[in-house]
Every structure is written in structure tokens, then in C-alpha cells.
Amino acid sequence: MTRDADRLLPSPEPVMLIDPDGRPTAAGGTSLPATDALLHGYAGLVTARRLNEQAYALVRQGRLAVYPSSHGQEACQVAAAQVLSEQDWLFPTYRDTAAIVARGVDPVDTLVLLKGDWHSGYDPYEHKVAPQATPLATQLLHAVGVAHAARLRGEDTVVMAMCGDGATSEGDFHEALNFAAVFKTPVVFFIQNNEYAISVPLARQSVAPSLAHKGIGYGVPGERVDGNDLAALLRVLGDAVDRARAGEGPQLVEAHTYRMQAHTNADDATRYRQDDEVAGWVAKDPILRLETYLRAVGALDDAQAAAFAEEAERVAQHTRDGLNRDVVPDPEDLFRFVYAQPTPQLEEQLALVHDELSREDAH
């Protein structure tokens, strides 16, 4: 890793390529991503927003146990998936449903865990997406392990390790950074700083100049980016992935965004933040920002926008239909997948379950 402190320092301000009014900026002369990439990203944003809305509705209908919405953070979600190649891995948090779906996982399978089932609903190896992690920062250590293994095998693999600002207060975050730096693993640590760790504001978590500065102590270069600007995210995250793939070791990116809705449907956000604070972020909406730009340059018209909305509605309908199906659980599944060879204790417990079920059937 580098010992040059100047190379470790993030930019003084988050990188922005399209401002909240949809106008391109001249941030350091950085060019915008290709229009096709922005259109692809815009379609992903529309689908992600509709998926968030549909999931919240399914919670109210009792079809999901809980849902941590990424409303307002969709640009981070979509960009994280879009900059990865097929052979790369994504390690998501519990709030990264939209990123998982953008990676190609069926939304019905993605939401199985949040429905309250006992397993993750998708095969992690099919799309190279790790199971969603509810504990904070634990997935970061696993992500570094996968990246380290890939490097030892000589594989062309980069790992995107996602976390929130609250996770940076956990020991696992720092252990993962240190291990990744020492062993020069190809991993991008992506912090979605949405200003709150449940009810704890960022000012109560850290007094560092930014969360991106936390990489300095481990020799990991950091960068800051406007988390509501898809163009800037594609550029900054894409560059970080390229550097990790080129053998430059781990990278740290902090996206400045905002959680527009409560922590989950079980949370009352009005107890710890004011409505006027939330309202101040409405104008920074990532979808509105990108749509304004694309329409201004003639890359998006009403017909295309309608087609993207129609596709998003198809995804919502598919999700709704899939999660509205009642599944009859098999009690033996509680024991079938614990060990390859069941222990005597598990066999005894299974026998007790069979006995209890037979008594119920007799009545």
C-alpha cells in the first residue's frame, strides 16, 4: 500500500458530476459516463424506487415481516451493481435489496429473508451475491476473505463490500480494513452515509472530517461522492473497482446520501429527526436529478420514460404475485440442513416433532 499521505486523502468535497438541478458540473474536468450507461442506470433507479414502494405495501399486508427501505439511496444501490463485472462479488447489507435485484437476483427470492423465512432465498454463487447481513459490518470480513482467496488463486475478481455509516463504528469494519490493506485484497469498501444509524445521527458516531478519512490509518485511499448523483457514483465507484482490479489493493468510497424513510417499518423516525430536515433532501432526489439531465440533453423522452416505468411495474407485479403465494413449510427442514450427517440430538428432536404432529393428526 502507499505511504504517500496525499494519495490517501479524499477530496475536500464529495465528487459531483450532475447537480441537484440536473445540470452537469465541471468537477475537476471529470467527464460524465456514457449516455447509454446513464440510461441503464436511470431504468435501474425507476425499478428500485418502485420495488421499495411495493415492499413497503407488502409489509402492511403482512406478506413481509420487515423492510429496510432504500428510498432516496437508490443511486448508490444501482451504481454499486452496475460497476461490477460478471465475475465480481457483491456483499450487501440488509438495506441493499435494490442492489441485489440490480445484480440480477429475482426480487421474490431476494425478499424471502425479509419475509421471515429461515434461509436466504437465492443461491449466492449464481449471481455472486452474498446473503444479506442483518448484523452490522460482519459481511465486511467475509468480503475481504473472498477477495483474499480470489487474489491467492489469481482470479480476476473484485469484491464490493457495502455498509452504512453505523457500521463504521463496529470493530469488524476496522479489522476488515486492516486485513485488506495488509494483504492488498481487491475489495472496494462502499459506505452509504445516510446520516443516521437508526436514531443516532452521524455527529454522535464520528468527529472525523469524513468517513472516507477512516481509511488513512490503514493505508487505504478514500474518496467522497455525492450519493444522489448516479453519474458521479458510476465514475467514482468504477474507478475504485478498476484500481482494485489492477492490483492497487483495497479502496474506500463514502457516498453522502439520505434515508428518506424510517429505518424500517417498525421505526418511528419522527422521534429523532424533524420533517423540515427530510424535506430539505426532496429536491436532491436521485431520480429527478438524472431524469432532468437526460431530458435536457435529449437522451430521454416521454415514450422511453413510460417504458421504464412499465418495466418497473412489471417487476412490482412479479414481486407481489410471488410473495402473495402461501408456502406450506416442511417441519423437517428445521433439521435437514443443519449438518450433513444429523447428530443424535437432532434425530431425537425430529422424532419429537413427528410424535407431536401425529397426535395433532389423530385429533
Side-chain angles (χ1 to χ4, degrees), residues 51 55 58 64 67 97 107-115 319 323:
L51 181 62
L58 288 166
L64 285 179
Y67 185 70
T97 297
V108 176
D109 295 338
T110 302
L111 291 170
V112 161
L113 183 67
L114 297 174
K115 186 177 182 178
T319 305
L323 291 173

Side-chain angles (χ1 to χ4, degrees), residues 184-224:
K184 209 172 182 179
T185 64
V187 58
V188 176
F189 295 97
F190 182 30
I191 306 169
Q192 294 178 78
N193 177 5
N194 64 15
E195 302 293 335
Y196 285 92
I198 308 183
S199 59
V200 181
L202 182 63
R204 297 282 298 276
Q205 301 178 65
S206 175
V207 293
S210 77
L211 297 179
H213 280 78
K214 291 184 179 291
I216 295 174
Y218 304 103
V220 177
E223 186 55 283
R224 305 168 69 195

Side-chain angles (χ1 to χ4, degrees), residues 76 80-81 83-84 88-93 96 99 128-131 133 137-147 158-165 167-168 172-173 176-177 180 185-192 237 240-241 244 250-255:
C76 295
V83 298
L84 296 178
D88 296 333
W89 274 85
L90 176 73
F91 275 72
T93 73
D96 296 327
K128 293 186 169 52
V129 178
T138 55
Q139 77 281 2
L140 301 182
L141 294 167
H142 304 157
V144 172
V146 168
V158 173
V159 177
M160 179 71 68
M162 304 179 73
C163 69
D165 49 290
T168 66
D172 289 3
F173 171 81
L177 278 174
T185 64
V187 58
V188 176
F189 295 97
F190 182 30
I191 306 169
Q192 294 178 78
L237 284 174
V241 168
Q251 311 291 314
L252 177 63
V253 175
E254 176 192 6

Side-chain angles (χ1 to χ4, degrees), residues 15-18 24-35 38 229-236 239 293:
V15 175
M16 177 193 298
L17 298 182
I18 299 176
T25 67
T30 305
S31 61
L32 286 165
T35 300
L38 293 178
D229 178 1
L230 182 79
L233 283 159
L234 290 177
R235 181 65 66 205
V236 171
D239 288 347
Y293 169 77

Side-chain angles (χ1 to χ4, degrees), residues 147-165:
H148 183 48
R151 182 170 180 266
L152 291 176
R153 293 170 178 165
E155 297 172 351
D156 180 26
T157 298
V158 173
V159 177
M160 179 71 68
M162 304 179 73
C163 69
D165 49 290

Side-chain angles (χ1 to χ4, degrees), residues 251-323:
Q251 311 291 314
L252 177 63
V253 175
E254 176 192 6
H256 294 261
T257 183
Y258 194 78
R259 193 192 75 216
M260 296 299 292
Q261 296 179 331
H263 177 68
T264 70
N265 53 286
D267 173 43
D268 180 7
T270 62
R271 297 177 62 184
Y272 54 83
R273 67 184 190 185
Q274 302 300 314
D275 289 343
D276 57 351
E277 176 185 319
V278 180
W281 282 84
V282 172
K284 301 176 183 179
D285 184 87
I287 299 179
L288 178 62
R289 180 186 302 200
L290 184 57
E291 180 175 347
T292 301
Y293 169 77
L294 290 172
R295 286 184 180 275
V297 298
L300 180 69
D301 56 27
D302 290 344
Q304 288 173 299
F308 291 146
E310 183 178 345
E311 172 59 19
E313 190 56 45
R314 186 198 65 77
V315 172
Q317 179 70 54
H318 170 74
T319 305
R320 188 164 58 246
D321 292 344
L323 291 173

Side-chain angles (χ1 to χ4, degrees), residues 327-359:
V327 178
V328 179
D330 182 353
E332 291 195 15
D333 282 348
L334 290 169
F335 312 96
R336 183 175 289 130
F337 303 108
V338 181
Y339 296 107
Q341 182 65 39
T343 64
Q345 292 84 357
L346 283 178
E347 291 178 339
E348 180 182 355
Q349 292 170 20
L350 177 58
L352 288 172
V353 170
H354 282 162
D355 180 62
E356 184 174 339
L357 292 175
S358 65
R359 291 172 186 269

